C-alpha cells in the first residue's frame, strides 16, 4: 500500500501489523482529535460525547497476572539458610586457627548460604488486601500480583506497590463562566479506583496527579457547557438538572482517565454558586423572577375566584347584575384578592342619592 495510514504524531518506526487492527474493529486509533465539534449546541444536548484520552503509541501495556507462589516456604528456607550461614561462618572462623584450609572453606560456604538467604528474603513480598504489586525485570513489565498474603517472586524483579482501593478526589473551588457568561464557583468530588495497574504505572507519569488534573478539566468543561439557571424548561441547567449533569460529568471524567487504567465509580457536584461579584445582582434577579411567578399565580387564582363568584351570584338569583355592576364587582374583587395590603372597605353614596 502506498497510502500511509498513520498521522504525523505517530512515529514511522512503530508501523506494524498490530497498529492496523483498530481500523478493522471500528474505533479510531487517532484519539479524539478527529471527532470534531458537536454540531448540536450544548444548551440542548450538553457538551456532546466526551473525548477519550489515549497514549499516542496506542495500547502498549495491559495488566496480566504474574507467576507468584506462596512465600511461607521461601521465608522458612531463608531463615534456615541464614542460621546455617552464621553457624558455618563462626565454626570456620575458629577452625582457621587449627586447619586454615578447612576453616576458609567453611567461611566461603557460610557466605554463599548468607547470599542465598538474602535472595530468598528479597523475593518475598507482602501484599495487603486492596493492593497490587507491579513486577518488572530490567525495565520490562512481567506481571501484577494481586493475591493477598505472603508471596514469593523472582528476587531480581523490581517491585512497585499500587493501591487498588477506592479513592476520593475533591477538586478545589473553581471559578469559571457558565454558558451564559456568568462567573460561577463550582466544585466536585470524584470517586475512582485503579482498574489496570499496568496502565496506571506505565501509560502516565503520575496517575494520581493525572486523575486530579483531568477531573478539574472535566468540571470546567461541564460548567462552560450549561447555564447556572434557566427559565426555559427545555434547557438543562446546573442548578435544576443536578442528576443529569453529574451523570455527564462522570462520563466525561471516565473518558479522560481511561488512559491511566482508572475507572470512575461516581462523581458529584459539591459546590455551586454565583461568584461574589455578581451574587447580589443574581439574587435580585432570582427574587424578581420569583415575585413575577407568584404574581402570575395570584392573578390566575383571582380570576378563577371572581368568575366563580359571579356565576354563583347569578345562578342563585341573589341579585341581577348589569354590565356596570358586573364591572365594578370584578374590579373590587381583583383589588381585594391581588393587593399586597388588606383592603379598606368604602361605601358609595352616589347610587343612593340617585335613587332618592
Amino acid at each position: 500500500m502506498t497510502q500511509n495510514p498513520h498521522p504525523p504524531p505517530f512515529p514511522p518506526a512503530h508501523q506494524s501489523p498490530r497498529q492496523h487492527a483498530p481500523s478493522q474493529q471500528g474505533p479510531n486509533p487517532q484519539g479524539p482529535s478527529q471527532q470534531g465539534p458537536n454540531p448540536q449546541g450544548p444548551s440542548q444536548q450538553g457538551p456532546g460525547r466526551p473525548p477519550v484520552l489515549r497514549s499516542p503509541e496506542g495500547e502498549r501495556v495491559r495488566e496480566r497476572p504474574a507467576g507468584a507462589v506462596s512465600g511461607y516456604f521461601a521465608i522458612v528456607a531463608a531463615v534456615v539458610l541464614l542460621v546455617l550461614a552464621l553457624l558455618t561462618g563462626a565454626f570456620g572462623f575458629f577452625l582457621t586457627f587449627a586447619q586454615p584450609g578447612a576453616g576458609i572453606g567453611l567461611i566461603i560456604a557460610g557466605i554463599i548460604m548468607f547470599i542465598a538467604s538474602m535472595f530468598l528474603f528479597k523475593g518475598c513480598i507482602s501484599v495487603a488486601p486492596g493492593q497490587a504489586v507491579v513486577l518488572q525485570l530490567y525495565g520490562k513489565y512481567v506481571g501484577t500480583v494481586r493475591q493477598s498474603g505472603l508471596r514469593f517472586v523472582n528476587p531480581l524483579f523490581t517491585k512497585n506497590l499500587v493501591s487498588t482501593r477506592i479513592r476520593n478526589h475533591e477538586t478545589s473551588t473553581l471559578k469559571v463562566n457558565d454558558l451564559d457568561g456568568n462567573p460561577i464557583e463550582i466544585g466536585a468530588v470524584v470517586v475512582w479506583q485503579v482498574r489496570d495497574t499496568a496502565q496506571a504505572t506505565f501509560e502516565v507519569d503520575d496517575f494520581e496527579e493525572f486523575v486530579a488534573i483531568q477531573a478539574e478539566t472535566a468540571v470546567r468543561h461541564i460548567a462552560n457547557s450549561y447555564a447556572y439557571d434557566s427559565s426555559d424548561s427545555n434547557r438543562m441547567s446546573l442548578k435544576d438538572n443536578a442528576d443529569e449533569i453529574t451523570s455527564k460529568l462522570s462520563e466525561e471524567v471516565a473518558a479522560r482517565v481511561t488512559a491511566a487504567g482508572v475507572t470512575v465509580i461516581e462523581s458529584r457536584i459539591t459546590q455551586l454558586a454565583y461568584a461574589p461579584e455578581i451574587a447580589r445582582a443574581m439574587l435580585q434577579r432570582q427574587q424578581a423572577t420569583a415575585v413575577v411567578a407568584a404574581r402570575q399565580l395570584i392573578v390566575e387564582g383571582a380570576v378563577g375566584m371572581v368568575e366563580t363568584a359571579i356565576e354563583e351570584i347569578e345562578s342563585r338569583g341573589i341579585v341581577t347584575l348589569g354590565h356596570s355592576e358586573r364591572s365594578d364587582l370584578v374590579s373590587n374583587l381583583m383589588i381585594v384578592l391581588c393587593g399586597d395590603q388588606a383592603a379598606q372597605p368604602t361605601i358609595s353614596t352616589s347610587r343612593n342619592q340617585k335613587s332618592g
Side-chain angles (χ1 to χ4, degrees):
M1 295 177 63
T2 60
Q3 184 179 1
N4 184 12
H6 299 278
F10 291 79
H14 293 279
Q15 294 180 0
S16 63
R18 288 185 60 186
Q19 294 181 353
H20 295 277
S23 61
Q24 299 175 359
Q25 296 176 358
N28 185 4
Q30 298 176 355
S33 60
Q34 296 187 358
Q35 292 180 358
N38 187 13
Q40 296 179 350
S43 59
Q44 298 293 335
Q45 299 296 333
R49 189 173 183 178
V52 179
L53 300 183
R54 295 178 180 175
S55 172
E57 298 184 9
E59 296 184 356
R60 298 176 298 175
V61 182
R62 293 298 176 266
E63 180 180 328
R64 58 177 179 268
V69 297
S70 176
Y72 294 101
F73 296 102
I75 200 72
V76 171
V79 172
V80 171
L81 284 176
L82 181 60
V83 173
L84 290 177
L86 295 177
L87 293 177
T88 303
F91 183 73
F93 175 75
F94 290 108
L95 188 62
T96 54
F97 297 101
Q99 300 179 0
I104 293 175
L106 289 178
I107 291 175
I108 294 175
I111 293 174
I112 293 175
M113 286 188 290
F114 177 79
I115 294 174
S117 66
M118 291 299 102
F119 265 89
L120 291 177
F121 278 122
K122 191 175 185 299
C124 294
I125 55 175
S126 178
V127 183
Q131 291 183 341
V133 178
V134 178
L135 303 177
Q136 303 178 61
L137 180 60
Y138 302 118
K140 181 180 179 180
Y141 173 64
V142 177
T144 300
V145 179
R146 284 182 175 264
Q147 298 90 344
S148 60
L150 186 62
R151 314 298 296 176
F152 178 77
V153 296
N154 190 336
L156 298 178
F157 288 166
T158 302
K159 309 167 189 67
N160 183 22
L161 186 64
V162 178
S163 176
T164 58
R165 298 186 178 101
I166 298 176
R167 311 188 195 187
N168 288 327
H169 172 71
E170 186 175 3
T171 64
S172 58
T173 302
L174 306 175
K175 186 175 181 180
V176 296
N177 293 333
D178 65 354
L179 184 62
D180 295 336
N182 299 319
I184 63 173
E185 293 181 347
I186 187 171
V189 59
V190 178
V191 184
W192 59 281
Q193 184 181 25
V194 174
R195 171 182 50 84
D196 192 308
T197 57
Q199 280 186 280
T201 304
F202 302 109
E203 291 291 331
V204 295
D205 187 20
D206 186 349
F207 67 91
E208 294 182 358
E209 182 180 2
F210 183 82
V211 171
I213 294 176
Q214 295 302 323
E216 291 189 1
T217 304
V219 171
R220 290 181 181 275
H221 186 224
I222 290 294
N224 292 332
S225 303
Y226 297 96
Y228 176 87
D229 194 4
S230 177
S231 58
D232 188 1
S233 59
N234 297 324
R235 183 186 181 189
M236 293 180 62
S237 64
L238 298 172
K239 180 181 177 181
D240 299 330
N241 303 96
D243 294 336
E244 293 83 353
I245 299 300
T246 52
S247 177
K248 292 182 179 295
L249 177 61
S250 299
E251 294 177 1
E252 180 158 352
V253 176
R256 290 179 177 272
V257 300
T258 300
V262 172
T263 179
V264 175
I265 300 175
E266 184 187 14
S267 62
R268 289 287 175 182
I269 295 177
T270 56
Q271 181 178 357
L272 181 64
Y274 281 111
E277 58 266 24
I278 66 165
R280 184 183 298 275
M282 291 297 107
L283 179 61
Q284 293 178 353
R285 192 184 75 170
Q286 290 178 356
Q287 292 175 347
T289 303
V291 169
V292 170
R295 287 294 182 184
Q296 183 178 1
L297 183 62
I298 291 174
V299 170
E300 292 177 356
V303 170
M305 294 174 64
V306 170
E307 182 180 4
T308 302
I310 294 176
E311 290 178 355
E312 288 292 330
I313 290 174
E314 293 182 348
S315 62
R316 295 183 182 183
I318 298 175
V319 66
T320 302
L321 297 175
H323 180 72
S324 59
E325 289 84 358
R326 185 189 294 266
S327 299
D328 294 340
L329 180 60
V330 170
S331 177
N332 293 332
L333 289 176
M334 291 297 294
I335 292 174
V336 171
L337 296 175
C338 298
D340 291 334
Q341 300 177 354
Q344 298 294 330
T346 58
I347 299 175
S348 177
T349 59
S350 59
R351 184 170 300 177
N352 295 331
Q353 291 176 356
K354 292 180 179 180
S355 61

